[in-house]
């Protein structure tokens, strides 16, 4: 299993101004912040289940930029239906990475259904997303990063991560600030 | 008017699409309703409007917010029962000060033949009010276009969250064997 902080750091390495990131609530948002807070990261503090459709709307609006949704298994389970819209629209610039520790980390590490049989990448594939992968070893992390950052999308990658908790590294939580800084950095 | 005549939708749907074009709305995220059929068909025929059929209405709200982050304007369209699916997602545009434009066709009003539609139809105004969305009801087909244009201007230029509510009498009544029925 992968270390989540190292994996997200690799995902966002040398991100530049062409990468737009939507970070799902909880640990994925803390991971993205630990990798370096950025005006073009939109971290969620709520709106559970919304990370993928936010990414879809963003990907349609910004077809010349890469949109990367980084979320967790619990958030993804709540929004599984949103994968069907991604599979139907097939935006080439959208990638989704689910950090799957088979736990609800923010609420006490309760087990999630990805540890009881649900295969998120399998759901993505069955929803019409053409490029999917499940990666759980450091030896294949480069491959996962390459898919997420540059493969023709839509892409869905499950990263099987160690359930260990890390320090909280919190992004700003003022939603207006997060929105305005994102749009200003984008020039819209 | 016979049983096979379309409802007044023939008028307001084209006006609504024209209003959205004038507002430069570029994405419509929707869960269909019979009363939205012609509107959705006309919008889909337009160049430059991405039509996204979402699995649940909360995804439409989230998609509209993503579009706004990316510099595009979007519309969330659904029937009133779908509003029951979205309250938590409405926290997203509210806490982020984002605009939101919704178009909702009513179910559960006089003429409704499906009693399961009544509860959420009844609750819808309170749900939206509780989550900070302004509700503007339209009962006259001729008023749909102007109301949508004004709501869009207020939402997108003033960072407000506004829902246009189309009365069931305006969209036609859903029947299981008669006029108004549609695959939507």
């Amino acid at each position: 299993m992968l270390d989540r902080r190292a994996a997200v750091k690799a995902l966002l390495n040398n991100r530049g101004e062409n990468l737009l990131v939507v970070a799902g609530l909880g640990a994925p948002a803390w991971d993205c912040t630990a990798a370096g807070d950025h005006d073009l990261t939109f971290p969620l503090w709520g709106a559970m289940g919304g990370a993928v459709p936010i990414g879809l709307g963003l990907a349609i609006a910004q077809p010349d930029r890469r949109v990367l949704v980084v979320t967790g298994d619990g958030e993804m389970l709540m929004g599984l239906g949103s994968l069907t819209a991604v599979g139907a629209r097939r935006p080439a610039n959208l990638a989704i990475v689910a950090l799957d520790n088979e736990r609800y980390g923010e609420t006490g590490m309760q087990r999630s259904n990805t540890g009881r049989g649900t295969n998120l990448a399998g759901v993505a594939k069955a929803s019409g997303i053409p490029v999917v992968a499940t990666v759980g070893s450091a030896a294949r992390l480069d491959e996962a990063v390459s898919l997420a950052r540059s493969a023709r999308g839509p892409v869905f990658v499950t990263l099987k991560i160690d359930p260990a908790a890390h320090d909280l590294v919190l992004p700003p939580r003022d939603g207006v600030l997060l929105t305005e800084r994102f749009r200003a950095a984008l020039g819209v | 008017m016979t049983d096979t005549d379309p409802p007044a939708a023939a008028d307001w749907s084209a006006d609504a699409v024209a209003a959205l074009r004038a507002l430069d709305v570029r994405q419509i995220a929707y869960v269909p309703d019979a009363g939205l059929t012609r509107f959705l068909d006309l919008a889909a025929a337009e160049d430059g409007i991405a039509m996204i059929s979402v699995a649940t209405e909360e995804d439409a709200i989230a998609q509209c917010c993503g579009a706004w982050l990316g510099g595009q304007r979007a519309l969330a369209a659904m029937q009133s029962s779908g509003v029951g699916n979205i309250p938590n997602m409405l926290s997203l545009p509210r806490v982020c000060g984002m605009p939101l434009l919704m178009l909702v066709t009513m179910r559960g009003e006089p003429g409704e033949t499906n009693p399961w539609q009544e509860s959420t139809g009844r609750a819808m105004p309170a749900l939206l009010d509780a989550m900070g969305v302004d509700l503007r009801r339209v009962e006259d087909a001729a008023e749909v276009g102007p109301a949508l244009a004004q709501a869009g201007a207020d939402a997108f230029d003033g960072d407000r969250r506004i829902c246009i509510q189309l009365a069931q009498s305006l969209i036609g009544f859903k029947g299981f064997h008669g006029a108004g029925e549609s695959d939507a």
Side-chain angles (χ1 to χ4, degrees), chain B residues 62-83:
Chain B
Q63 185 185 323
C64 288
C65 294
W68 180 252
L69 281 175
Q72 283 192 344
R73 296 174 169 191
L75 172 79
M78 64 195 71
Q79 66 169 254
S80 55
S81 294
V83 174

Side-chain angles (χ1 to χ4, degrees), chain A residues 92-182:
Chain A
N93 60 328
L94 176 62
I96 302 157
V97 173
L99 304 170
D100 184 5
N101 61 0
E102 305 178 1
R103 302 287 195 284
Y104 290 91
E106 295 305 303
T107 56
M109 286 292 176
Q110 298 90 347
R111 293 180 64 200
S112 84
N113 286 343
T114 61
R116 299 184 175 109
T118 301
N119 174 346
L120 292 175
V123 175
K125 185 74 174 178
S127 300
I129 295 178
V131 180
V132 306
T134 298
V135 170
S137 68
R140 289 185 61 207
L141 183 58
D142 286 351
E143 173 194 345
V145 170
S146 176
L147 286 174
R149 291 288 296 272
S150 55
R152 181 175 175 81
V155 171
F156 187 100
V157 177
T158 298
L159 295 181
K160 285 291 190 179
I161 57 167
D162 190 294
H166 290 259
D167 292 342
L168 295 178
V169 183
L170 304 180
R173 68 178 180 185
D174 179 335
V176 176
L177 168 71
L178 292 168
T179 301
E180 293 306 316
R181 75 173 192 173
F182 192 101

Side-chain angles (χ1 to χ4, degrees), chain A residues 68-87:
Chain A
L68 174 61
V69 174
V70 181
T71 191
D73 50 300
E75 208 270 351
M76 197 64 256
L77 285 167
M78 192 171 284
L80 287 180
S82 65
L83 296 175
T84 67
V86 173

